[in-house]
Amino acid sequence: MPKSRFLSTSLKSTIAAAALLSSSALVSAEETIKVGILHSLSGTMAISETTLKDVMLMLIEKQNEKGGLLGKKLEPVVVDPASNWPLFAEKARGLIEKDKVSAVFGCWTSVSRKSVLPVFEELNSLLFYPVQYEGEESSKNVFYTGAAPNQQAIPAVDYLMSEEGGSVKRWVLAGTDYVYPRTTNKILEAYLKSKGVASEDIMINYTPFGHSDWQTIVSDIKKFGAAGKKTAVVSTINGDANVPFYKELGNQGVSAEDIPVVAFSVGEEELAGLSTAPLVGHLAAWNYFQSVEAPVNAKFVQDWKAFIKDEKRVTNDPMEAHFIGFNMWVEAVKKAGTTDPDAVGEAIIGVTVPNLSGGYSAMMPNHHITKPVLIGEIQEDGQFETVWQTSGQVVGDAWSDYLPGSKDLISDWRKPLSCGNFNVKTGKCGGQGN
Amino acid sequence: MCTVAQLTDIMKLARSLVLVLLCLLAGLTASAASDFPQALSGLAEKSFKKRLGAINAVAVSGHERAQTVLEALAQRRLFVANPGKRLVIKTEAGGYQMAVTGEPAGEIAKPALKRVKTNNRLRKVIRNALGTLTLRSPDPARRLAAAQTIFASRDASALPILEVALAAETDIQVRTVMERARAASTLMGSAGEADKLEAISTIRQMGNQDAIALLSAFGDRAKGAEKAAASQAIAEIERTLALWSGAQNVIYGLSLGSVLLLAAIGLAITFGVMGVINMAHGEMVMLGAYVTFAVQEVLRTSFPGLFDWSLLFAIPLAFLVSGCVGVALERGVIRFLYGRPLETLLATWGVSLILQQAVRTIFGPNNREVGNPSWMSGSFELGQLALTWNRLYIILFALLIFAGLYAAMRWTSFGLQMRSVVQNRQMAGAMGIRTKWIDALTFGLGSGIAGIAGVAISQIDNVSPNLGQSYIIDSFMVVVFGGVGNLWGTLVGAMTLGVANKFLEPYAGAVLAKIFVLVFIILFIQKRPRGLFALKGRGIEA
Amino acid sequence: MIVRLLSRSLDHWSYGFLAVLVLVSIILPALHLLVPPGSYFHVSGYAIGLMGKYLCFALLALSVDLIWGFCGILSLGHGAFFALGGYAMGMYLMRQIGSRGVYGHPELPDFMVFLNWQELPWFWLGFDSFAYAAVMIVAVPGALAFVFGWFAFRSRVTGVYLSIITQALTYALMLAFFRNDMGFGGNNGLTDFKDILGFSLQAPGTRAALFSASALALGLGFVVCRLITRSRAGKVLEAIRDAESRVRFLGYRVERYKLAVFVISACLAGIAGALYVPQVGIINPGEFSPANSIEIVIAVAVGGRGTLFGPIVGAVLVNFAKTWFTGALPELWLFALGGLFIAVTLFLPRGIVGLVQSYWPRLPAAGVANRAAKPSTEGSTR
C-alpha cells in the first residue's frame, strides 16, 4: 500500500534525522578539552568578527604547543552564526549541548550577547565576551573582557576636558542608533552635565546602521563647532559607517586641531580600510593599541603576523581582550583542576594575567576586568600613538554611577552574595525592588 | 568705507609702525638669542605643560631657527637623541641635523632616537606660532595660510605684525584674508569703537559660519553700539545663509541621487529592459569596487607615480570584469529561465551569495582601503556652498554614464537591435538579429555599468563583501519608482528620491527620512502602478 | 457539515501527512522527556528547539505558498507579518517577566528603564494578558495586510511591482523597528524571556509543548490552506493566478479574492512568528530584513510551489541545510547554499515535490505545480 509505505518511510526518516542531531552527543569528549568559538564568519559582522575567530585559533594553537591544559589538548570548535541573532542562540545551544564545549569565546554585538545569554544561564556554561559594551549587565555565566563605559568613555571625555586635551567645552555625541551608543551617550550626557556643561552645548545625533551619506551631518557638526567654544565629537558610530564618515570629515576639511573626533569603535582593523592621511590627530579611546611598547605586545604582534601569514594584518583591542580572557580561563582551569563551569567560575575571580600593554589584568567579582585606559591619535600609517593613559588599571563597572536606574546597583558573584544586581540601598538582590 | 585720504594715512602709520617694530625685534633677538637653546631644550621635556611653554618660548625667541624647528616638530621630524638629550631634526634626505645650529648631527642609531610627541593642543599652538612667523614668507601660498591661521586664532597680539605684513602685501587674495585677520584681531583686542565697527563690517562681508562664530564670540563681551552692530551683522548673515542652505540641500540631494543613479542604472537595463530580477546586481557593483582596489594595489607597489590615474585604469577594467561575469551569468544560468522571471530572482540570489563568499575568500572579510586620488580630495567653496570634489565628480560621472548609455541605446546599431529584441523577439529574430547574443550582451552591458558604478562608489563608501547588499534594495526602488524600461525614469527617480531624502533629513533625522521616502514610494506605486514614466501600451497587463 | 467539507477537501495524502505530524508531535517530545540523556533514542533539547524552529518556518512557507502558488502574488515581504506576530508574542513574554528584570522594575521592561521611560507606552497596554496578545498575533499582521492589500490590489499593482513594494514595506518596518524611540527595544529587540502562561521557558516540558504546538499549528494551517484551495474560491484564485484579466471580465471581483487570501496568509505568518519567538528566545528587527523574506520564498521554490506539501519540505530542508552547513563548513557554507539555490531552480523547476511526482505520478496536487511552472501567456507573475 502506498499509504503505509509513505508513512513508514517518513517515520523512519524522522527518527533518523532526530538520531543524527543527537548522535554526536554520544561521542565522549574525554580525549580533548573543547573550546567553542562563536563569531560570525559571514554577514554584516564578519568584517570584525572573523579576526577574533583567527586569534582564538592562534591562542589555542600556542597553548597546545605548551602542552595543552590538564594534560589534554585543546580542540577549537568553530561555528558560523552568520550575523543572525537567533542563529547565535541556536549555535550556542549546539556548542554546549551537542559539542560539549567547556567554554565559549564569542559574540561582538550587544544583541548577539543578549540572544545567547539565556542559553548560557540555562545550560550553565561560560561565555567570554571580548568587546567594549554598554554595561548595565552582569551574568553569572558571562565574563566581560572588553571595556565597560567607565573604562573607555568617561576617561576619554575627562581627557578632552583637560587642558592637555584642549579644554573642550562643547560636545557632539554622534552614534549609531542601537543600545551601546544610546547608553554610552546617556551616561556621558549625565556626566557632562554633572561637570557643568549646559544642555545647549551638547548635540546628540543618531544614524542608522551602515549609514553612508554623511554630508548633512558633517556640515551640521561644522556649524555646531563654529560657535566659538572648543568643540569635540564623541563618536560611537558603529563599524561600517565609520569609513564614509571619516572620508566626509576629511573632504569637508574638519581637522583634528579644530574639532577632534574621539571614537570608541574605531580600531586598527577599521583604519585598515581607509587612507588615514586626512584623519591624523583624530582620537580613539581603547585599552590597547598595536603600537603599545611592551615586550609582551611585540611578541603577540609577531606571533599574529606569522600565524595569519600576512605582514599587513594588524592587532586591535578586542583581540587583546580574547588574549586576556583566554589566559584567565586557562589559569582558572589549572587552579580548579577541572573544566566544570561552576568550579572555573569560582576559581577565575581574582585570577591575574599579563595584558598586552605591559601590566596585569585581574578578573573582578563583578565578572569585569581591570584595564588601563589609553587615548591614541591616528597616525598616517594607520596606527595609533598613545597621547595619554591612566596611571593605573581601571576596574570595570557593570552598573553605571550616572544612570538613575543603576546607580545603586552592584554586582558580586562571590559567595555568599552571588548576585549580579544587588541594590545597596534596599540591601536586596534583584534591581530596584519595589 | 575708507576714502583715499584715510588710506594714505593708514599707510603712513603702518610705515612708522614697521620701523618701531623692527627696532623692537632687533632688541628682542639680541636678548633672546641666549634663551633659544634653553627654550629648545624644553621641548625634550616629558611634561605636557613644559613642552607647551617651550613651544611658546621658541616662537617668541625670534631666533632664525625657530621656524625650522617648529615646522619639524609639526611634521613629526624632531627627535631627542640619547645620550645627552640632543634635539635633532630629520632632514628630507634622511640624515639628521642639530636643531639648535642646523649642523649635521652625524650617524645616529635608530634605538637612540625618540620622537618628540605632539597632540592636537600642541599642534594648534605650533600652527598659530608658525602663522605669525610665516606671515612674511616670500611664498604667497604660505602667507595665505598664515593669514588664515591668524584669523582662526583671533590672536590680538598679532595685530602689529599683521599691519606690517599688510603694508607690504601685493597679492589681492592674500590681502583680503589678511584684512579679515586684522579685523578679527582688532575685535579681540583693545581697539577703539570706530576701529571695531569697521572691523565688524569687514567681517560681515565674509557672510559665512566663521563670521558668525567670530561675531558671536565678540558680541558676548561687547557693549552698546558695538554689541548692537555685531548682533545686527549676525542676523543679516544668518538670513543669507538660510537661503544658501536650501541650495546646499539641493546639492547634497543631487549628490545622493547620483549615487542612487549609479547603483540603479545598470539595473534599469537588466531589470528594466530585459525583465530579469537580478538579485546579484549589487555584487556586480561590489566587483567593480574590488577591481578599483586591486588596480590601486598594483599601482601603489609598482607605479606609485600613476596613483592619481588609478581610476582611469579601473573604469574600463571594472566594466570588463563585471561585464564578463554578467555574460557568464546570462549564458550559464539566466538564459534557461527566460519567461520565469521570479525564478531568476531565486537563482540570482544564489549567485549573489556565491559572489559574496568568493570575494570574502579571496580578499578577506575586512574593509579594503581604496584611496581618493588627489584631484578628488578636499573641498572648495562656491559662494556659501561647500562642495567636496569627490561628490562633484561623482555627480558629473553619473550624468556622463547616463548620457553615454542613453546615446548607446538610441544611436548605435547594438542599441537598435537591443530595443528591437525587447519589443518583439520573434520579429527581430526573423530580421536576422541574433537574439541570444543580444540577450547576453545586454546583460553584460547592464552588469558592466554596475561595475563602473562600483568604481565611483568605492570613493565614498566601504569596500567590503557586504557592499552590494546595501545598495540592492535602493536600486530596485529607484527603477520601480522611475518606471521600468525607461532610462529617463531612472534618472528622474534617483534625483527625486535623493533630494527628497536630503530635505527631510534635517527635520526628521536620517532614519525617519528614509522611512518616509519608502512609504512615499509604496503610496506612489498605488497611484501610478507603472512608475513615474510608464511605457505607454495598449495591453491591460504590461 | 464541517466533516463533509473536510472529507471533500482532504485526500488520503493529506490525512497521511497530518498523521505523520501528529505522530512527530507526540513521539519526539516523548523521546525528549522520557528517554534518559545518553540513550541512543534521546532527543536533545537542542534538536527539539531546532525542529520546532523548522516547523515555524514551514508554517511561514505554507502561508507564502498559499498566495504565491495559488494566487500568483509573490510577496517578498512576508517576513514582516512573521516578525509582527513575533513582536506581539514578544511583548506578552516581556510583560510576563514582571519584576524579574535586571532593574527589577515591576512594570517596565528593562530597555525602557534603560532609556529613562517613566510609563508604558499605550501600545504596550493589554499585552500582559495572553488572550489579548493572542488576538494581536493575528490581528496586527492581518490588519497591515488588509490595509496594504486594499490599496495595492485595488490599484491593480501586480507582478514584480507588487513584489518590490512588499520588499519596501518590510524594509521600512525594519528601519522603523531599529529606532530605539519606537519603544520596541531597538536593535536588541525583545529578549531575556522567563515564562509563558506560567511555565518556565527553560523547562524541557515547556520546550516539548511548544514543539507540539508548532506541529499542531502547522497541521491546522495545512488544513485551512487545503480547505481554501479545494473550495470554489480556490478555483477562482487559481484562475486569477493563470489569467487575471479573464477572471475579471467574467465578473469576479478579483481584488476581493486576492485581499482575502492575502490577509489569511498574513495571519498564518503571524502565528508562525508567535510560535517562533518563545523557541528561539529573541525577536529583533533583523527578522524584518528583506533577505529573510527572500529566503523563505526560496524555500517554497525548493520544495515546489503550489503544492502545500512542497513548501513544508522546502522550509525544513533549507533550514536544515543552513544549520548543517554553518556548523560543518563555517567558511564555505554560502557557496553550498548558493549552489543549492541555483541547482534547484535550474534542474528542479517544480521543486522537490515535482521531482518526486515525476517518479511517482500518483502524488496529488502536482498537477497544480505543473501548470504553475509553465510560462503563462499573460505573465501574471511578471
Side-chain angles (χ1 to χ4, degrees):
Chain A
M1 285 299 287
K3 186 173 170 183
S4 58
R5 240 164 67 199
F6 180 66
L7 266 181
S8 63
T9 39
S10 47
L11 193 65
K12 263 185 219 154
S13 61
T14 318
I15 292 173
L20 191 71
L21 285 167
S22 53
S23 62
S24 52
L26 298 173
V27 179
S28 81
E30 286 311 306
E31 318 83 48
T32 57
I33 296 176
K34 288 185 174 175
V35 179
I37 303 175
L38 186 64
H39 284 299
S40 300
L41 310 178
S42 59
T44 48
M45 290 313 295
I47 288 182
S48 307
E49 291 192 60
T50 310
T51 313
L52 292 186
K53 181 235 6 174
D54 289 330
V55 86
M56 278 310 299
L57 291 180
M58 174 180 99
L59 291 169
I60 290 171
E61 191 186 290
K62 296 274 166 209
Q63 187 65 32
N64 281 338
E65 279 169 15
K66 280 190 260 172
L69 186 57
L70 302 182
K72 297 178 193 165
K73 290 279 180 216
L74 293 176
E75 181 190 341
V77 183
V78 180
V79 290
D80 178 15
S83 311
N84 175 328
W85 320 133
L87 203 55
F88 263 93
E90 179 191 315
K91 291 289 165 199
R93 189 176 285 279
L95 283 175
I96 304 166
E97 275 196 350
K98 199 160 73 84
D99 297 314
K100 308 262 185 250
V101 298
S102 302
V104 176
F105 292 79
C107 297
W108 182 290
T109 57
S110 288
V111 55
S112 63
R113 191 190 67 247
K114 293 271 186 209
S115 168
V116 302
L117 190 86
V119 177
F120 279 91
E121 287 182 348
E122 177 194 339
L123 303 175
N124 193 23
S125 186
L126 303 178
L127 171 70
F128 287 82
Y129 176 68
V131 184
Q132 102 281 20
Y133 84 119
E134 67 278 0
E136 306 297 295
E137 185 184 300
S138 182
S139 163
K140 177 173 175 285
N141 300 86
V142 183
F143 298 93
Y144 308 82
T145 51
N150 73 316
Q151 288 175 306
Q152 200 185 16
I154 296 207
V157 166
D158 277 337
Y159 168 72
L160 286 172
M161 278 196 286
S162 73
E163 193 195 346
E164 183 173 345
S167 319
V168 173
K169 297 279 187 283
R170 225 165 134 81
W171 302 85
V172 180
L173 309 180
T176 303
D177 189 6
Y178 73 108
V179 65
Y180 168 67
R182 287 262 173 188
T183 316
T184 306
N185 287 349
K186 202 127 235 158
I187 292 170
L188 287 182
E189 196 185 352
Y191 182 71
L192 288 173
K193 283 183 176 161
S194 78
K195 295 275 172 184
V197 178
S199 304
E200 70 263 18
D201 284 336
I202 302 175
M203 165 178 153
I204 300 182
N205 179 289
Y206 291 106
T207 40
F209 279 94
H211 190 65
S212 62
D213 194 284
W214 290 93
Q215 303 178 86
T216 316
I217 291 161
V218 168
S219 87
D220 282 350
I221 289 173
K222 255 174 100 175
K223 237 178 259 173
F224 188 79
K229 291 182 189 166
K230 177 74 185 175
T231 306
V233 180
V234 178
S235 153
T236 38
I237 295 164
N238 178 270
D240 257 14
N242 274 302
V243 174
F245 174 63
Y246 278 113
K247 281 192 175 171
E248 192 70 35
L249 275 181
N251 280 325
Q252 290 203 21
V254 176
S255 79
E257 286 121 62
D258 300 321
I259 305 181
V261 177
V262 59
F264 301 151
S265 315
V266 177
E268 288 85 348
E269 282 266 326
E270 284 76 17
L271 289 184
L274 70 170
S275 57
T276 45
L279 306 180
V280 171
H282 286 304
L283 304 157
W286 288 105
N287 309 107
Y288 163 79
F289 292 117
Q290 185 183 340
S291 63
V292 163
E293 282 167 20
V296 58
N297 181 39
K299 177 164 187 324
F300 180 76
V301 173
Q302 193 191 355
D303 285 350
W304 168 244
K305 288 183 172 172
F307 179 82
I308 207 79
K309 299 188 186 69
D310 183 351
E311 271 301 304
K312 281 186 177 169
R313 289 295 292 272
V314 292
T315 60
N316 65 8
D317 181 278
M319 289 166 75
E320 189 221 16
H322 260 341
F323 173 84
I324 298 172
F326 180 74
N327 286 338
M328 281 180 167
W329 176 74
V330 167
E331 288 307 314
V333 170
K334 280 184 194 158
K335 198 166 133 192
T338 164
T339 55
D340 174 63
D342 281 327
V344 174
E346 224 165 283
I348 201 168
I349 292 174
V351 162
T352 305
V353 298
N355 56 32
L356 291 180
S357 45
Y360 286 85
S361 286
M363 179 60 74
M364 302 309 283
N366 62 1
H367 285 189
H368 290 61
I369 66 172
T370 59
K371 299 176 133 191
V373 185
L374 280 59
I375 312 272
E377 274 184 2
I378 298 175
Q379 305 293 302
E380 277 186 37
D381 56 359
Q383 290 289 327
F384 291 91
E385 178 181 275
T386 311
V387 290
W388 182 85
Q389 76 181 84
T390 48
S391 48
Q393 313 277 324
V394 180
V395 181
D397 195 359
W399 303 97
S400 173
D401 300 339
Y402 298 94
L403 291 180
S406 61
K407 61 174 189 279
D408 300 327
L409 301 183
I410 60 156
S411 157
D412 191 336
W413 288 106
R414 285 172 304 188
K415 283 172 186 160
L417 193 57
S418 228
C419 173
N421 53 354
F422 184 78
N423 191 323
V424 287
K425 273 228 176 106
T426 60
K428 280 187 206 148
C429 188
Q432 289 166 321
N434 294 337
Chain B
M1 298 295 105
C2 323
T3 60
V4 180
Q6 272 172 324
L7 257 178
T8 39
D9 273 357
I10 292 173
M11 297 290 270
K12 266 184 208 157
L13 183 78
R15 225 169 280 147
S16 51
L17 260 171
V18 174
L19 282 175
V20 174
L21 208 77
L22 284 179
C23 296
L24 266 175
L25 272 176
L28 266 174
T29 318
S31 70
S34 58
D35 296 343
F36 181 66
Q38 202 200 334
L40 212 54
S41 68
L43 291 177
E45 291 284 346
K46 227 179 150 63
S47 139
F48 165 80
K49 270 204 173 135
K50 281 189 184 155
R51 276 186 290 155
L52 186 71
I55 291 171
N56 281 325
V58 169
V60 300
S61 69
H63 193 275
E64 53 178 10
R65 301 262 321 146
Q67 187 184 331
T68 322
V69 170
L70 289 182
E71 270 169 359
L73 181 55
Q75 291 161 7
R76 305 153 47 89
R77 289 189 288 116
L78 189 68
F79 294 86
V80 179
N82 279 321
K85 271 193 157 188
R86 292 171 301 154
L87 277 165
V88 294
I89 294 172
K90 191 177 182 185
T91 57
E92 314 255 311
Y96 294 92
Q97 58 173 222
M98 298 299 293
V100 191
T101 56
E103 290 157 4
E107 283 290 305
I108 303 173
K110 262 241 158 101
L113 284 173
K114 218 170 151 128
R115 195 159 52 74
V116 178
K117 285 186 182 179
T118 53
N119 65 13
N120 286 320
R121 180 80 199 285
L122 291 184
R123 274 194 297 274
K124 194 163 182 177
V125 173
I126 297 168
R127 198 177 68 181
N128 291 347
L130 279 174
T132 17
L133 287 175
T134 54
L135 201 54
R136 299 180 61 202
S137 151
D139 179 5
R142 295 192 70 177
R143 293 203 300 276
L144 187 71
Q148 277 161 346
T149 312
I150 297 181
F151 175 82
S153 73
R154 304 166 192 172
D155 184 3
S157 62
L159 201 53
I161 309 171
L162 269 172
E163 299 279 6
V164 177
L166 256 174
E169 188 56 62
T170 50
D171 188 307
I172 303 256
Q173 200 194 353
V174 180
R175 228 189 132 77
T176 323
V177 180
M178 280 187 176
E179 273 165 5
R180 287 172 181 172
R182 183 178 61 181
S185 304
T186 313
L187 286 182
M188 291 297 134
S190 53
E193 194 177 286
D195 284 345
K196 286 199 171 166
L197 287 179
E198 198 189 315
I200 289 174
S201 80
T202 312
I203 299 294
R204 190 171 62 190
Q205 279 156 21
M206 290 172 65
N208 59 12
Q209 280 298 335
D210 292 341
I212 294 186
L214 176 61
L215 288 173
S216 52
F218 169 69
D220 283 347
R221 50 198 182 137
K223 287 193 200 72
E226 292 170 16
K227 195 183 177 85
S231 41
Q232 197 196 341
I234 291 176
E236 206 170 290
I237 298 171
E238 273 173 350
R239 265 199 302 280
T240 37
L241 277 186
L243 289 178
W244 282 109
S245 82
Q248 184 82 63
N249 274 340
V250 173
I251 302 256
Y252 287 159
L254 290 179
S255 153
L256 178 62
S258 63
V259 173
L260 290 176
L261 176 65
L262 278 171
I265 195 161
L267 199 68
I269 293 178
T270 51
F271 173 53
V273 177
M274 300 178 74
V276 174
I277 307 181
N278 182 12
M279 295 306 287
H281 174 74
E283 277 60 41
M284 303 294 169
V285 177
M286 172 192 76
L287 284 181
Y290 271 95
V291 168
T292 320
F293 164 72
V295 166
Q296 288 200 346
E297 205 60 0
V298 170
L299 289 184
R300 223 189 297 252
T301 48
S302 312
F303 313 98
L306 288 174
F307 186 78
D308 269 355
W309 302 100
S310 56
L311 296 190
L312 289 188
F313 295 108
I315 287 170
L317 263 179
F319 183 84
L320 276 180
V321 170
S322 292
C324 288
V325 173
V327 170
L329 179 59
E330 202 275 345
R331 291 280 86 189
V333 178
I334 291 170
R335 70 169 161 144
F336 303 109
L337 301 173
Y338 284 122
R340 294 188 280 158
L342 295 174
E343 285 173 38
T344 59
L345 184 154
L346 310 182
T348 50
W349 180 257
V351 172
S352 95
L353 294 184
I354 290 178
L355 284 177
Q356 269 178 53
Q357 191 61 30
V359 165
R360 200 172 276 135
T361 312
I362 298 168
F363 291 97
N366 310 75
N367 283 332
R368 288 291 155 179
E369 176 188 343
V370 173
N372 291 126
S374 58
W375 47 272
M376 273 185 85
S377 307
S379 61
F380 67 101
E381 287 188 357
L382 193 77
Q384 295 305 328
L385 295 180
L387 296 171
T388 55
W389 281 112
N390 64 353
R391 295 272 173 186
L392 190 73
Y393 277 112
I394 284 172
I395 295 179
L396 293 178
F397 185 66
L399 293 178
L400 204 69
I401 297 279
F402 175 81
L405 196 59
Y406 187 81
M409 296 268 285
R410 185 102 200 165
W411 289 302
T412 64
S413 77
F414 168 61
L416 185 69
Q417 295 184 359
M418 194 163 102
R419 281 181 291 142
S420 66
V421 170
V422 168
Q423 279 169 15
N424 192 329
R425 177 173 296 270
Q426 280 87 3
M427 187 59 82
M431 303 299 279
I433 294 171
R434 296 175 70 185
T435 54
K436 290 194 171 160
W437 269 111
I438 294 295
D439 283 338
L441 289 180
T442 311
F443 199 84
L445 176 70
S447 305
I449 297 277
I452 295 184
V455 178
I457 284 172
S458 73
Q459 291 298 304
I460 50 170
D461 205 345
N462 289 296
V463 178
S464 77
N466 305 327
L467 170 75
Q469 291 288 300
S470 46
Y471 286 97
I472 184 77
I473 291 180
D474 288 338
S475 309
F476 271 106
M477 295 303 146
V478 167
V479 175
V480 165
F481 174 67
V484 172
N486 191 318
L487 281 185
W488 283 109
T490 308
L491 174 72
V492 176
M495 293 302 171
T496 315
L497 294 183
V499 173
N501 212 326
K502 281 294 156 186
F503 269 91
L504 282 170
E505 203 179 306
Y507 307 102
V511 192
L512 270 185
K514 195 153 189 193
I515 295 172
F516 286 149
V517 167
L518 286 171
V519 171
F520 166 74
I521 294 176
I522 294 176
L523 293 177
F524 183 86
I525 292 296
Q526 317 295 341
K527 192 76 199 151
R528 291 185 69 115
R530 290 283 169 270
L532 206 54
F533 286 63
L535 282 183
K536 299 225 164 46
R538 279 188 231 162
I540 304 153
E541 283 162 7
Chain C
M1 190 205 143
I2 293 176
V3 177
R4 225 181 65 207
L5 202 70
L6 281 177
S7 66
R8 209 184 60 205
S9 307
L10 300 179
D11 49 24
H12 54 269
W13 290 102
S14 306
Y15 286 124
F17 169 71
L18 290 174
V20 171
L21 258 185
V22 169
L23 275 179
V24 164
S25 72
I26 294 171
I27 291 176
L28 285 186
L31 289 178
H32 174 52
L33 294 175
L34 303 178
V35 178
S39 152
Y40 186 77
F41 287 103
H42 176 71
V43 175
S44 65
Y46 170 67
I48 283 279
L50 266 185
M51 283 187 273
K53 214 176 100 172
Y54 297 164
L55 291 180
C56 294
F57 282 127
L59 182 55
L60 174 61
L62 189 69
S63 76
V64 172
D65 193 36
L66 180 64
I67 53 168
W68 185 31
F70 290 92
C71 193
I73 305 170
L74 176 61
S75 165
L76 292 184
H78 239 53
F81 304 121
F82 180 80
L84 284 174
Y87 263 97
M89 177 58 104
M91 285 158 84
Y92 161 74
L93 294 173
M94 229 38 204
R95 294 297 308 273
Q96 291 309 105
I97 296 173
S99 59
R100 283 169 292 171
V102 291
Y103 295 111
H105 195 287
E107 195 157 67
L108 293 184
D110 283 338
F111 72 87
M112 293 191 190
V113 181
F114 216 52
L115 293 171
N116 288 353
W117 290 29
Q118 296 308 318
E119 54 182 26
L120 270 186
W122 58 269
F123 47 82
W124 274 78
L125 298 175
F127 273 99
D128 45 340
S129 132
F130 183 76
Y132 178 81
V135 171
M136 285 297 145
I137 283 165
V138 286
V140 173
L144 178 70
F146 183 81
V147 173
F148 184 83
W150 172 266
F151 283 116
F153 299 137
R154 222 183 35 154
S155 2
R156 301 189 193 170
V157 179
T158 51
V160 174
Y161 286 89
L162 189 81
S163 304
I164 304 271
I165 61 170
T166 49
Q167 203 176 21
L169 174 79
T170 192
Y171 189 52
L173 279 169
M174 177 177 83
L175 291 176
F177 274 73
F178 264 129
R179 297 183 67 238
N180 274 287
D181 297 333
M182 282 282 287
F184 292 105
N187 179 46
N188 273 16
L190 310 175
T191 176
D192 207 15
F193 308 132
K194 304 280 191 231
D195 47 29
I196 179 168
L197 292 169
F199 300 102
S200 163
L201 275 172
Q202 302 192 337
T206 319
R207 194 170 295 128
L210 279 168
F211 172 81
S212 300
S214 307
L216 191 70
L218 180 61
L220 285 177
F222 179 79
V223 170
V224 168
C225 292
R226 256 289 170 264
L227 284 179
I228 293 173
T229 54
R230 289 280 162 90
S231 69
R232 248 178 70 82
K235 295 291 161 223
V236 177
L237 289 177
E238 278 181 46
I240 292 173
R241 177 192 67 196
D242 294 336
E244 184 170 337
S245 313
R246 270 185 244 177
V247 178
R248 186 173 286 125
F249 296 152
L250 286 171
Y252 288 98
R253 297 291 293 270
V254 168
E255 60 276 8
R256 292 195 184 166
Y257 284 94
K258 280 177 142 185
L259 185 57
V261 74
F262 192 61
V263 170
I264 292 172
S265 165
C267 294
L268 285 177
I271 293 171
L275 286 164
Y276 172 78
V277 168
Q279 301 192 60
V280 299
I282 182 170
I283 174 78
N284 92 324
E287 298 298 331
F288 284 103
S289 89
N292 279 17
S293 299
I294 291 175
E295 227 162 68
I296 209 71
V297 168
I298 287 176
V300 175
V302 167
R305 68 183 268 228
T307 59
L308 295 189
F309 290 116
I312 295 171
V313 175
V316 172
L317 188 85
V318 167
N319 282 290
F320 178 72
K322 218 171 150 178
T323 305
W324 179 261
F325 289 151
T326 48
L329 315 163
E331 318 249 356
L332 301 171
W333 70 278
L334 279 174
F335 286 130
L337 201 67
L340 175 74
F341 293 161
I342 297 174
V344 166
T345 34
L346 283 186
F347 304 117
L348 299 177
R350 288 181 285 133
I352 293 167
V353 170
L355 180 76
V356 174
Q357 184 261 343
S358 63
Y359 290 104
W360 202 350
R362 286 180 57 196
L363 197 73
V368 179
N370 214 351
R371 273 205 311 278
K374 267 190 209 150
S376 79
T377 43
E378 275 189 283
S380 63
T381 46
R382 275 189 168 222

